Amino acid sequence: MLKFNQIRVAGRLNGASGQVNGGEFVHVLGTNGSGKSSLLSAIAGLLPIEQGQVWLEQKKLQDYSLPQLAALRCLQEQQQNSAFALTVAEVLYFFSEDKGLPAELDEALELQQFMSKPLNQLSGGEARRVHIARTLLQVWPTIQQGRALVLLDEPNQGLDFKHQHLLFRLLRRLCLTGNVVIVNHHDLNLCQQYADKIWLMQAGQIVISISSLEQISNHDLAAIFACSIQSAVDATGNKIFQTYLD
């Protein structure tokens, strides 16, 4: 569904290449400044690339009109401002032209209690859930067809443990119907639980592409993240990670 080859943006991306098939849940990990956010923006067509190419459904990204792209892919950026005192319901209606919230989104994001509240009066985590909903609503008809490309930049930032898992379970279900979801974040344990594919980034490149953290040593992970990493297996057989400085 998605392919990009040797995309370059001065000071941000340095020949990043990758491919994603329909139905894959991709997690992008790396240190701050490694190029994760720039990669999502370039894939979305919002960051002009100086070299390389991006294909979406076997069509070059630049051959899509803006309305076509807006219906096919969505991007939730890391920084979200809520300057206007619009209610949550008004914000969601603006992006969906539908007064109702799909049951699947309502179940995972638990927004009904906020619908009449101004967005700029919510906590950071509550507002994050609203922004995730409005991002998904932008392409909801395409999501229902199993053809959407969903790009989320640190969507779990500010969410409590419960809502992190509810969100990633939702994204996992969206992939099961053929959609592609790519998320940036910094949590090895969430990655281990939910990822189909993992991209590890350094200096604007995807330096490692794997399907599980079982395929990389803790030593190599530590080199990527510039800190010490140890893992253990819990009572249910799940691998868990701990990070620390020497």
Side-chain angles (χ1 to χ4, degrees):
M1 181 180 180
L2 172 70
K3 181 180 179 181
F4 51 97
N5 186 51
Q6 290 294 311
I7 55 176
R8 297 179 183 273
V9 178
R12 302 173 76 170
L13 295 174
N14 185 29
S17 300
Q19 183 170 330
V20 188
N21 298 318
E24 288 188 316
F25 191 5
V26 183
H27 293 224
V28 188
L29 281 71
T31 58
N32 295 334
S34 61
K36 302 187 303 299
S37 297
S38 297
L39 180 65
L40 292 198
S41 295
I43 291 172
L46 299 178
L47 176 64
I49 60 176
E50 299 163 2
Q51 184 179 329
Q53 192 60 258
V54 180
W55 293 267
L56 186 56
E57 292 193 333
Q58 299 182 337
K59 182 177 177 180
K60 291 180 180 178
L61 203 65
Q62 67 263 29
D63 292 339
Y64 286 95
S65 67
L66 288 178
Q68 287 173 328
L69 271 181
L72 189 60
R73 64 90 183 98
C74 60
L75 169 65
Q76 181 228 325
E77 297 180 290
Q78 195 175 140
Q79 300 299 325
Q80 304 288 339
N81 296 318
S82 306
F84 300 101
L86 295 174
T87 67
V88 169
E90 289 169 335
V91 170
L92 297 182
Y93 179 76
F94 178 82
F95 283 92
S96 69
E97 297 185 357
D98 189 330
K99 294 182 180 179
L101 186 66
E104 198 168 5
L105 292 187
D106 188 30
E107 178 183 349
L109 300 173
E110 297 185 330
L111 298 179
Q112 285 299 330
Q113 60 186 313
F114 308 131
M115 296 299 276
S116 62
K117 293 184 177 181
L119 180 58
N120 61 2
Q121 293 183 17
L122 299 182
S123 73
E126 292 167 346
R128 174 74 59 177
R129 283 148 55 191
V130 176
H131 287 301
I132 292 167
R134 64 91 176 158
T135 300
L136 296 175
L137 285 171
Q138 176 193 318
V139 294
W140 194 251
T142 308
I143 286 176
Q144 292 178 307
Q145 298 169 17
R147 295 180 49 240
L149 172 62
V150 176
L151 306 167
L152 304 175
D153 195 350
E154 298 196 24
N156 57 321
Q157 186 179 68
L159 300 189
D160 57 43
F161 297 139
K162 171 188 174 183
H163 287 99
Q164 290 186 49
H165 285 287
L166 286 175
L167 171 61
F168 277 66
R169 285 183 180 181
L170 168 66
L171 300 176
R172 173 74 265 157
R173 290 196 299 272
L174 297 186
C175 292
L176 293 177
T177 59
N179 299 291
V180 165
V181 179
I182 305 178
V183 297
N184 294 343
H185 63 90
H186 297 279
D187 193 315
L188 291 170
N189 293 303
L190 285 175
C191 182
Q192 177 74 352
Q193 287 182 261
Y194 294 103
D196 294 316
K197 181 177 287 185
I198 303 160
W199 291 339
L200 298 172
M201 293 195 69
Q202 277 186 321
Q205 294 181 320
I206 298 172
V207 293
I208 296 174
S209 178
I210 51 179
S211 59
S212 169
L213 292 176
E214 304 287 350
Q215 298 173 336
I216 186 172
S217 69
N218 290 349
H219 178 269
D220 289 339
L221 277 177
I224 293 286
F225 291 99
C227 71
S228 297
I229 295 175
Q230 288 190 350
S231 61
V233 178
D234 66 16
T236 59
N238 294 314
K239 193 172 184 179
I240 54 176
F241 293 88
Q242 182 177 9
T243 62
Y244 58 95
L245 292 177
D246 290 328

